[in-house]
């Protein structure tokens, strides 16, 4: 596949699919390395309609048939999490490259099997942790590595969303059932914790609390109240591998916001999000930086100042587009730079530790691999 256009089939590629139509499709359409050749949805009418609008020659309702198409080199899986496992396995059986949205699976055991099979098939596999493509995230990561704020002492992260609380809509109601694997912890928490660990390093120990404040949710379209068993208040405290003290608060059903503040011996960075929905991977991030004098006791008027970096597009589409460009280069050069299923397994395991700590009330030390 070197030096040729990569033909893409999208499982969940209907233009009615909010995430695929707002990120994957526009990113792929404008990326010179790719060509959309197949659309797969659960409804042949919407599949054919979307394929026609996108000038894709094939439409499917069966993801196995999409994966088997000779006109598909890479399959994108952008459907609800409970269906990831079967769809990914169908793709892997055909030895096709794959890009799957996060969370990879409803639980870690599924994710581990998917990663193992992907490695055995020697195909390129990518996971949708596109927050790592943020220029602001990478700026802060590099500045810290260069010692701009000295040795990092602590970090505090706040993740809040108006969703996943006491009000939902029909398309989001499945997020309120723990068995579906698409919860506040796994989605908002997963993306945010991945960014934190990408910048600063992994947790080596943590303790967590998970509370369910809203036990029911009101469905806007029907007025129906449904049972909710997912945590909407999640608190994590721990230590990273570099001895940084970390505190994280993830909450749903509240005013949305994202903020990550990192404090070092010489200063601090603050990463916040304009017009936040509590999803760091949506972009619109702002960097602030502060450098303080050696003698803090005599310091006056120390203020955070915004750091401007050259970037025209700072949104989810640009992040996904950059991820696809990295994946295309990985395929062409037989390398593995894009976050992949192994990274997904690692994050799934971290979330398992959070759940275990919350369930047992114990501090847990994490084995470093």
């Amino acid at each position: 596949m070197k030096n040729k256009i990569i033909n893409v089939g999208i499982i969940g590629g209907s233009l009615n699919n909010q995430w695929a139509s707002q990120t994957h499709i526009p990113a792929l359409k404008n990326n010179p390395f790719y060509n959309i050749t197949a659309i797969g949805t659960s409804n042949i009418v919407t599949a054919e309609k979307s394929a026609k609008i996108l000038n894709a020659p094939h439409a499917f309702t069966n993801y196995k048939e999409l994966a088997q198409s000779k006109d598909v080199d890479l399959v994108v899986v952008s459907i609800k999490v409970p269906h990831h496992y079967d769809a990914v396995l169908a793709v892997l059986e055909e030895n096709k490259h794959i890009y799957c949205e996060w969370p990879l699976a409803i639980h870690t055991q599924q994710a581990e099997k998917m990663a193992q099979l992907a490695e055995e098939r020697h195909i390129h596999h990518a996971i949708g942790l596109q927050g790592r493509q943020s220029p602001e995230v990478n700026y802060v990561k590099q500045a810290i590595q260069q010692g701009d704020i000295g040795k990092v002492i602590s970090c505090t992260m706040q993740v809040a969303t108006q969703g996943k609380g006491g009000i939902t809509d029909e398309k989001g109601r499945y997020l309120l059932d723990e068995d579906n694997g698409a919860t506040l912890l796994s989605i908002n928490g997963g993306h945010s914790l991945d960014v934190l660990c990408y910048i600063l390093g992994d947790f080596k120990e943590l303790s967590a609390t998970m509370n369910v404040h809203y036990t029911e949710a009101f469905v806007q379209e029907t007025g129906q109240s449904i049972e909710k068993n997912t945590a909407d208040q999640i608190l994590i405290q721990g230590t990273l591998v570099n001895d940084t003290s970390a505190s994280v608060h993830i909450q749903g059903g509240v005013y949305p916001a994202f903020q990550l503040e990192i404090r070092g011996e010489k200063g601090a960075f603050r990463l916040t999000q304009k017009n936040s929905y509590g999803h760091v991977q949506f972009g619109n991030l702002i960097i602030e930086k502060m450098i303080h004098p050696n003698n803090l006791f005599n310091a006056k008027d120390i203020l955070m100042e915004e750091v401007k970096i050259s970037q025209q597009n700072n949104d989810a589409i640009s992040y996904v587009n950059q991820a696809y460009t990295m994946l295309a280069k990985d395929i062409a050069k037989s390398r593995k730079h894009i976050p992949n299923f192994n990274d997904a397994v690692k994050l799934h395991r971290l979330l398992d530790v959070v759940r275990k700590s919350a369930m047992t009330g114990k501090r847990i030390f994490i084995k470093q691999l």
Side-chain angles (χ1 to χ4, degrees):
M1 288 180 59
K2 291 183 178 180
N3 302 320
K4 86 181 201 63
I5 298 297
I6 300 169
N7 291 326
V8 183
I10 307 174
I11 300 175
S14 168
L15 293 177
N16 296 325
N17 180 318
Q18 188 175 12
W19 183 248
S21 65
Q22 292 182 5
T23 57
H24 289 286
I25 289 172
L28 288 164
K29 283 177 63 179
N30 294 313
N31 193 306
F33 297 108
Y34 297 92
N35 180 38
I36 300 174
T37 56
I39 296 295
T41 75
S42 59
N43 185 310
I44 191 60
V45 174
T46 59
E48 290 178 343
K49 181 179 179 180
S50 298
K52 183 178 180 180
I53 292 173
L54 296 170
N55 294 318
H58 303 291
F60 298 94
T61 56
N62 186 315
Y63 47 71
K64 293 183 180 180
E65 293 177 0
L66 183 150
Q68 291 168 354
S69 172
K70 61 181 177 57
D71 294 324
V72 171
D73 305 313
L74 167 75
V75 178
V76 176
V77 177
S78 182
I79 51 180
K80 289 183 176 180
V81 179
H83 306 299
H84 282 191
Y85 184 72
D86 290 338
V88 169
L89 260 57
V91 176
L92 294 179
E93 287 176 3
E94 301 302 321
N95 292 328
K96 299 291 177 73
H97 302 307
I98 186 166
Y99 184 129
C100 184
E101 270 303 332
W102 170 265
L104 179 57
I106 58 174
H107 54 69
T108 303
Q109 290 72 25
Q110 281 188 348
E112 289 172 339
K113 183 174 181 180
M114 293 152 82
Q116 179 183 351
L117 289 174
E119 288 292 306
E120 290 174 355
R121 297 285 179 166
H122 302 292
I123 52 89
H124 287 270
H125 43 100
I127 186 69
L129 293 170
Q130 66 272 11
R132 299 190 189 192
Q133 307 304 321
S134 162
E136 289 77 18
V137 167
N138 281 285
Y139 176 93
V140 172
K141 177 182 175 69
Q142 292 166 13
I144 288 173
Q145 290 177 341
Q146 292 166 5
D148 283 21
I149 60 170
K151 178 178 171 58
V152 176
I153 299 170
S154 68
C155 67
T156 305
M157 185 166 70
Q158 298 283 337
V159 182
T161 178
Q162 69 272 47
K164 305 177 181 71
I167 300 175
T168 187
D169 54 18
E170 281 291 345
K171 68 176 182 289
R173 63 186 293 169
Y174 96 107
L175 303 171
L176 307 182
D177 185 343
E178 190 73 37
D179 290 339
N180 288 326
T183 64
L184 176 69
L185 175 62
S186 64
I187 297 178
N188 303 72
H191 280 286
S192 301
L193 287 167
D194 185 67
V195 164
L196 186 154
C197 293
Y198 174 68
I199 295 173
L200 295 175
D202 297 328
F203 280 84
K204 69 176 181 181
E205 60 85 18
L206 63 80
S207 59
T209 299
M210 296 176 62
N211 294 323
V212 181
H213 180 78
Y214 298 99
T215 56
E216 292 184 340
F218 176 82
V219 182
Q220 294 184 99
E221 292 91 338
T222 65
Q224 175 189 11
S225 288
I226 60 170
E227 182 181 350
K228 171 182 167 296
N229 63 9
T230 55
D232 45 62
Q233 291 290 324
I234 304 159
L235 299 101
I236 304 166
Q237 289 188 322
T239 308
L240 306 184
V241 290
N242 58 3
D243 294 328
T244 298
S245 299
S247 176
V248 179
H249 189 182
I250 305 162
Q251 48 188 328
V254 296
Y255 185 79
F258 172 84
Q259 178 173 297
L260 172 60
E261 185 161 301
I262 302 166
R263 296 182 177 239
E265 293 177 337
K266 298 179 181 179
F269 278 110
R270 183 184 295 147
L271 200 60
T272 55
Q273 185 175 45
K274 292 186 296 185
N275 304 318
S276 180
Y277 289 96
H279 292 275
V280 64
Q281 72 277 14
F282 284 9
N284 293 320
L285 298 175
I286 300 170
I287 306 169
E288 293 175 284
K289 180 181 180 181
M290 177 267 289
I291 299 296
H292 59 68
N294 292 331
N295 189 346
L296 276 172
F297 286 99
N298 297 327
K300 295 181 180 179
D301 301 323
I302 301 176
L303 299 174
M304 286 279 192
E305 295 184 357
E306 185 173 347
V307 178
K308 298 285 188 178
I309 61 176
S310 178
Q311 178 71 16
Q312 290 183 340
N313 296 316
N314 173 12
D315 56 24
I317 296 175
S318 68
Y319 294 179
V320 173
N321 183 52
Q322 290 175 59
Y324 276 119
T325 297
M326 181 180 288
L327 177 58
K329 292 179 179 179
D330 282 358
I331 293 172
K333 298 179 180 180
S334 297
R335 68 182 194 186
K336 293 185 177 181
H337 288 183
I338 191 76
N340 61 30
F341 287 9
N342 297 319
D343 297 293
V345 169
K346 188 176 182 180
L347 185 54
H348 272 291
R349 289 172 177 167
L350 174 61
L351 300 185
D352 284 345
V353 172
V354 172
R355 295 185 189 98
K356 183 178 179 180
S357 175
M359 184 182 303
T360 62
K362 295 181 178 179
R363 179 186 184 191
I364 298 178
F365 289 84
I366 303 171
K367 183 179 180 180
Q368 303 300 314
L369 300 178

